[in-house]
Amino acid sequence: MASFIKSDLEFILQQIIFAERHAAGANLRDLFPNTEVPWGLRTISGALNSLEPGQSQFGAADNVFPRLTTPLFRPAEAAPRALGRPRRPPISRPAASSSTPSPAPSAT
């Protein structure tokens, strides 16, 4: 079971208050001392994950993540590799037949 100290609960309550004020129409930039503090609750869509000007949609749902390089895709393998060590083929042993008696040991 989780146990909390008073400062944990006060912090959680403060995050809920931020979310309530934002839901009531307050601008998130006005609620926080700067745009880099890890405070507040996230929206379901991910909008306003970044409070930096022009970056409000960074990390939001249904947005393509910007690439810094040209993508390089390799052709797929015919069969995926096994994880860990490669598997060895099973050892094939002839099936024992009950109709053929096993040879008697030879006396020397």
Side-chain angles (χ1 to χ4, degrees), residues 93-97:
R93 297 183 180 153
S97 171

Side-chain angles (χ1 to χ4, degrees), residues 31-55:
L31 297 177
F32 304 127
N34 63 55
T35 60
E36 297 178 6
V37 292
W39 297 344
L41 300 177
R42 301 288 184 225
T43 59
I44 293 173
S45 68
L48 301 173
N49 277 349
S50 175
L51 299 179
E52 291 293 322
Q55 296 180 0

Side-chain angles (χ1 to χ4, degrees), residues 29-100:
R29 285 196 181 159
D30 298 335
L31 297 177
F32 304 127
N34 63 55
T35 60
E36 297 178 6
V37 292
W39 297 344
L41 300 177
R42 301 288 184 225
T43 59
I44 293 173
S45 68
L48 301 173
N49 277 349
S50 175
L51 299 179
E52 291 293 322
Q55 296 180 0
S56 64
Q57 293 298 309
F58 279 28
D62 299 325
N63 285 339
V64 177
F65 194 81
R67 293 187 184 272
L68 299 177
T69 61
T70 304
L72 174 64
F73 300 104
R74 294 183 225 163
E77 297 177 29
R81 291 183 182 171
L83 297 176
R85 290 191 230 153
R87 288 189 331 172
R88 294 183 179 164
I91 299 172
S92 61
R93 297 183 180 153
S97 171
S98 59
S99 61
T100 307

Side-chain angles (χ1 to χ4, degrees), residues 1 3 7 12 16 18-19 22 28 34 37 39 56-57 61 71 89-90 97 106-107:
M1 181 168 186
S3 61
S7 62
I12 292 168
I16 293 169
F18 285 141
H22 177 236
L28 284 176
N34 63 55
V37 292
W39 297 344
S56 64
Q57 293 298 309
S97 171
S106 60

